[in-house]
Amino acid sequence: MKSKRSAVNFLIYTLLFALAAVFLAPIFIILLNSVKSNFYISDSPFSIPSGESFAGIQNFIKGFTQSDFLQAFLNSAFITVFSVGGIVLLTSMTAWYIVRVSGRLTKIIYYLFVFSMIVPFQMVMYTMTYYAFELGLNNRLGIILIYIGFGAGLSVFMFSGFIKSIPKEIEEAATIDGCSPIKTFFLVVFPILKPTAITVAILNAMWIWNDYLLPYLVLGSGKSRTLPVAVQMALTGGYGNKDMGALMAMLVLAIVPIIIFYLFCQKYIIKGVVAGAVKG
Amino acid sequence: MQKTLKKYFPVFLLPTLLSFAISFLVPFVMGVYLSFTEFKTVSDGKWVGLDNYIRIFTSDKTFTDSLWLTVKFTVVSVITINLIAFSIALLLTKGLKGTNLFRTVFFMPNLIGGIVLGHIWSLIINGVLGYFGVDITYKPEYGFWGLVVLMNWQLIGYMMIIYIAGIQNIPDYLHEAAAIDGASPVQSLFHITIPMVMPSVTICTFLTLTNSFKVFDQNLALNGKSAETSLLALDIFKTFYDHTGLKLAQWHGTGQAKAVIFSILVAVIAFIQLRATRQKEVEH
């Protein structure tokens, strides 16, 4: 019996390792090619770099300087951090107001937010871009406002769900003690919301960091472009000549920060994504 | 408290509502209106009634073509992703050592953005096809299956996590009782595990459904150039932005009408999902 069981376990492990190899192979292949010289990338993408095909960190230097990668990286970081901060702060306040001030108006507003979660981006793509330009929001600061508007649906929905489960009495006690609603919210309510705030932050960060179409339409491919836009421009030859080595290095540079972030905050990310899926 | 809080409307509600109006509400309402017009820009729409909608289903074939392609793509992706994800979840809930490490690896592709994913797979698929002297644009089937593989790679880990949570929620005594009654592992899989994870199946089915139906970035980066492999979202984008010249106003109107129909289709899927999950909640 025992030997049969260990045979089964061996089979499962073999299967799992094979699957893991399949899952990691694409990333591994990109890593390999990022240290190969141009000719060998398109000619033999699956060969191991050695001798004359090995290019060292040359590709990374090119990828970094040619396409002004650093600028795009910083743009993405700036937009993601401040949009997520704004979303967490503003939508948690909004959700608390909507739940606590019950009335027909707040109900309508709530359902508008929920409705916006369903509508695909293509529906508002053209008109939204027009208003962004008309109102002068087509820059790194303005796009944050747009992201707050787009992130509001899911975020208000998730915060509201949690706030409904918090007993009112705690807040009422704070009010009786003389706290204004603003003080009550930041000293009493927001600390309780922390787990949901982490989930909301992770979901929005992943979306905004990887988002392509919105920043492409609003910010374009100029100086304020984000990382996905820079990658797309470079790989479709938007900057003139295609330098395959530099492009592979760019792909690696685009993935590495996400993977590092993932390995450190894995627990929160997986929890957040599952919570978002079940509620959304 | 409600009365005092109500006065704080400008602090708590206004900022969010304002950005929501600018980025979604006003563009949405104008989008619906403009689908009945021809327009060069948002402010110069000329009413044409249902012309745009009629054109989509008669003279302009790209919409129906890409709709059919999207449906095929969605069906294939939903089936493959869920089957593989569920199988992996079964393997990872056997209580073996190192399970967490595998879970970490399988989930990782989900965090990489669609554009980067598309270019990674474009290199690999073109690399493989290169041995046969062709590339991904050679046949539309290549682009189609390439996109299916990409979606599988991206979403399997995500669905696997949800299935694992579902399987772990099944109380142990059910399997133990079945074993005592002489049920084989296969029997207890079909009579206990699968019926008990049905709520997870519903969630995962709809997540893969909407994700595949709305796919854009991956499609653009992997095989976006060819019209034959453009799914709905990409076809709408091209209708808007790939045209110039005299008929621009007509193209914009057509694109907006396509977007309205696309939204209705997505809303129908979401509505069915809501009903399905509600029913499950009643049963339990």
Side-chain angles (χ1 to χ4, degrees):
Chain A
M1 192 67 196
K2 211 172 182 191
S3 69
K4 192 187 162 197
R5 184 148 183 198
S6 65
V8 170
N9 282 357
F10 178 74
L11 208 72
I12 293 175
Y13 273 123
T14 317
L15 210 65
L16 285 174
F17 272 108
L19 276 166
V22 171
F23 266 80
L24 289 176
I27 295 169
F28 187 65
I29 291 168
I30 298 298
L31 270 174
L32 273 187
N33 282 294
S34 70
V35 291
K36 274 197 240 174
S37 50
N38 279 345
F39 170 75
Y40 295 92
I41 296 171
S42 40
D43 199 54
S44 52
F46 304 118
S47 67
I48 309 272
S50 63
E52 57 174 330
S53 73
F54 184 69
I57 59 161
Q58 211 188 346
N59 290 332
F60 285 88
I61 296 168
K62 280 190 293 180
F64 224 88
T65 49
Q66 267 179 9
S67 51
D68 208 356
F69 181 89
L70 191 64
Q71 178 71 53
F73 185 89
L74 291 176
N75 289 339
S76 274
F78 175 83
I79 293 168
T80 307
V81 167
F82 286 100
S83 301
V84 170
I87 288 172
V88 169
L89 178 72
L90 294 178
T91 62
S92 62
M93 291 169 77
T94 304
W96 187 57
Y97 186 94
I98 287 177
V99 174
R100 291 298 184 238
V101 181
S102 46
R104 194 182 295 161
L105 190 68
T106 48
K107 208 159 221 165
I108 293 172
I109 294 171
Y110 175 75
Y111 281 112
L112 281 176
F113 281 130
V114 173
F115 174 69
S116 78
M117 283 162 59
I118 303 167
V119 178
F121 181 69
Q122 277 72 20
M123 177 66 207
V124 294
M125 164 180 80
Y126 194 85
T127 40
M128 183 279 296
T129 312
Y130 171 82
Y131 290 115
F133 277 78
E134 284 291 294
L135 297 170
L137 298 174
N138 53 332
N139 50 60
R140 276 160 286 193
L141 269 176
I143 201 171
I144 291 170
L145 196 84
I146 297 174
Y147 269 124
I148 291 171
F150 272 109
L154 179 72
S155 310
V156 168
F157 177 71
M158 292 190 68
F159 277 124
S160 305
F162 188 69
I163 291 169
K164 278 176 200 158
S165 69
I166 306 174
K168 254 187 193 168
E169 285 70 27
I170 310 169
E171 297 155 22
E172 275 163 357
T175 315
I176 291 164
D177 287 349
C179 278
S180 70
I182 295 174
K183 248 183 158 176
T184 308
F185 179 79
F186 284 106
L187 295 179
V188 180
V189 181
F190 195 75
I192 306 175
L193 292 180
K194 216 171 138 196
T196 311
I198 293 174
T199 307
V200 169
I202 285 170
L203 287 176
N204 283 300
M206 276 169 51
W207 158 54
I208 296 170
W209 179 264
N210 288 325
D211 198 20
Y212 167 74
L213 192 49
L214 198 161
Y216 169 72
L217 292 172
V218 173
L219 300 176
S221 45
K223 205 173 154 34
S224 47
R225 72 192 179 286
T226 60
L227 201 55
V229 177
V231 169
Q232 173 69 5
M233 285 298 125
L235 281 125
T236 48
Y239 299 129
N241 256 0
K242 262 204 197 190
D243 183 332
M244 284 306 276
L247 297 178
M248 290 305 125
M250 274 187 80
L251 284 180
V252 172
L253 289 171
I255 300 171
V256 166
I258 305 173
I259 293 183
I260 292 174
F261 177 64
Y262 171 55
L263 293 179
F264 277 103
C265 316
Q266 210 205 117
K267 207 178 87 189
Y268 291 110
I269 292 176
I270 291 183
K271 248 191 209 158
V273 167
V274 173
V278 176
K279 283 173 190 160
Chain B
M1 189 183 79
Q2 189 163 330
K3 263 189 187 156
T4 10
L5 180 57
K6 219 170 177 177
K7 284 185 215 140
Y8 280 79
F9 169 85
V11 183
F12 283 91
L13 208 53
L14 209 57
T16 316
L17 218 50
L18 211 63
S19 15
F20 183 65
I22 294 168
S23 50
F24 177 78
L25 219 50
V26 177
F28 178 81
V29 174
M30 282 307 283
V32 174
Y33 160 71
L34 288 171
S35 73
F36 299 103
T37 69
E38 287 180 1
F39 61 102
K40 275 213 173 76
T41 180
V42 171
S43 55
D44 69 352
K46 266 198 305 203
W47 188 264
V48 293
L50 288 172
D51 278 11
N52 294 325
Y53 289 92
I54 295 165
R55 189 176 309 113
I56 291 171
F57 291 105
T58 52
S59 56
D60 179 19
K61 291 284 280 178
T62 61
F63 184 77
T64 39
D65 284 351
S66 65
L67 175 63
W68 176 230
L69 191 71
T70 309
V71 170
K72 273 198 289 188
F73 170 73
T74 306
V75 170
V76 174
S77 301
V78 167
I79 294 171
T80 50
I81 291 169
N82 282 289
L83 276 180
I84 300 171
F86 181 71
S87 312
I88 296 180
L90 277 180
L91 294 180
L92 290 182
T93 44
K94 295 261 183 256
L96 296 177
K97 273 183 196 155
T99 307
N100 277 342
L101 188 71
F102 286 113
R103 205 182 63 165
T104 306
V105 169
F106 295 145
F107 184 75
M108 195 167 58
N110 191 252
L111 299 167
I112 302 171
I115 292 289
V116 175
L117 277 175
H119 288 297
I120 292 175
W121 279 96
S122 148
L123 176 90
I124 293 167
I125 293 168
N126 283 326
V128 173
L129 292 173
Y131 290 115
F132 306 97
V134 293
D135 70 359
I136 197 162
T137 55
Y138 183 68
K139 266 188 186 175
E141 284 81 15
Y142 293 167
F144 178 86
W145 289 104
L147 204 57
V148 169
V149 171
L150 190 161
M151 278 310 265
N152 269 271
W153 193 62
Q154 184 180 22
L155 290 178
I156 282 172
Y158 187 173
M159 302 309 141
M160 171 204 74
I161 298 272
I162 298 173
Y163 281 126
I164 288 178
I167 293 170
Q168 281 171 342
N169 271 338
I170 303 173
D172 282 335
Y173 67 82
L174 285 180
H175 286 291
E176 283 158 14
I180 292 167
D181 290 345
S184 72
V186 178
Q187 277 175 323
S188 88
L189 169 69
F190 279 100
H191 295 284
I192 298 171
T193 312
I194 292 179
M196 289 299 283
V197 294
M198 278 324 269
S200 309
V201 174
T202 317
I203 294 169
C204 289
T205 306
F206 280 104
L207 273 176
T208 39
L209 199 65
T210 43
N211 269 310
S212 312
F213 202 76
K214 292 200 283 189
V215 71
F216 178 87
D217 295 1
Q218 294 86 333
N219 192 195
L220 178 75
L222 182 72
N223 49 12
K225 281 188 188 127
S226 160
E228 282 169 310
T229 46
S230 295
L231 302 188
L232 266 184
L234 186 57
D235 177 58
I236 294 170
F237 176 81
K238 284 179 171 173
T239 312
F240 269 111
Y241 295 101
D242 279 6
H243 296 284
T244 46
L246 287 173
K247 284 193 169 175
L248 185 66
Q250 202 180 64
W251 282 116
H252 282 170
T254 311
Q256 195 59 54
K258 285 180 181 182
V260 170
I261 294 178
F262 184 46
S263 305
I264 293 171
L265 291 172
V266 173
V268 168
I269 296 174
F271 184 71
I272 297 171
Q273 169 186 22
L274 203 72
R275 290 287 296 273
T277 28
R278 283 264 167 84
Q279 265 169 2
K280 284 273 146 42
E281 275 165 19
V282 175
E283 279 168 25
H284 281 273

